[in-house]
């Protein structure tokens, strides 16, 4: 597999941020407490959903040396108590974009979510994978 340069990868991530903004709704990041599906084409189990965070529109903030930064998410309220193991990112048309695993793809201060708690991501970086 050919891997693009870091500069090209950053431009690709910036284009991805534009894709997230497509549609009449905001992009969302949905957190789950079950096993991450083998493919983004597999429908997530709604009973495993812990929390949905909306991203502002536009979501793109800046290009940095090693990543792009998105604006902070809006506050979301947890609908269930559990330990988040993965999350799925949807664009504004509710099309699944990518699944991410906790601790390897996404790092949180705390992976334990408590029903009724308010959660917000203050910093969101997307980095190229090499």
């Amino acid at each position: 597999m050919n891997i693009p340069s870091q500069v090209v990868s950053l431009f690709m991530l910036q284009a991805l941020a534009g894709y997230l903004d497509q549609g009449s709704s905001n992009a969302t990041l949905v957190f789950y407490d079950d096993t991450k599906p083998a493919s983004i084409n597999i429908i997530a189990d709604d009973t495993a959903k812990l929390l949905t965070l909306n991203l502002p529109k536009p979501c793109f903030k800046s290009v940095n040396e090693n990543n792009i930064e998105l604006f902070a998410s809006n506050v979301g309220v947890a609908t269930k108590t559990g330990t988040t193991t993965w999350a799925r990112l949807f664009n504004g048309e509710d099309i699944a974009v990518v699944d991410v695993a906790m601790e390897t793809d996404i790092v949180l201060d705390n992976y334990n979510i408590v029903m009724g708690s308010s959660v917000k991501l203050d910093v969101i970086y997307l980095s190229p994978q090499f």
Side-chain angles (χ1 to χ4, degrees), residues 34-63:
D34 62 345
T35 302
K36 184 175 84 146
S39 164
I40 198 161
N41 297 320
I42 297 172
I43 296 172
D45 181 0
D46 269 349
T47 64
K49 188 184 299 185
L50 297 169
L51 168 72
T52 300
L53 297 178
N54 289 318
L55 301 180
K57 197 173 203 172
C59 65
F60 176 75
K61 183 176 181 181
S62 64
V63 175

Side-chain angles (χ1 to χ4, degrees), residues 22-95:
Q22 286 187 358
S24 59
S25 298
N26 292 48
T28 57
L29 187 59
V30 182
F31 294 85
Y32 299 90
D33 67 357
D34 62 345
T35 302
K36 184 175 84 146
S39 164
I40 198 161
N41 297 320
I42 297 172
I43 296 172
D45 181 0
D46 269 349
T47 64
K49 188 184 299 185
L50 297 169
L51 168 72
T52 300
L53 297 178
N54 289 318
L55 301 180
K57 197 173 203 172
C59 65
F60 176 75
K61 183 176 181 181
S62 64
V63 175
N64 302 316
E65 185 177 337
N66 296 314
N67 56 44
I68 69 164
E69 184 175 356
L70 303 182
F71 285 107
S73 72
N74 296 325
V75 173
V77 177
T79 57
K80 180 181 164 186
T81 296
T83 301
T84 186
T85 54
W86 69 283
R88 181 168 282 175
L89 182 62
F90 294 89
N91 76 358
E93 295 176 325
D94 202 32
I95 297 172

Side-chain angles (χ1 to χ4, degrees), residues 4-12 130:
S5 71
Q6 183 170 344
V7 171
V8 171
S9 294
L10 292 173
F11 280 113
M12 291 168 63
F130 294 104

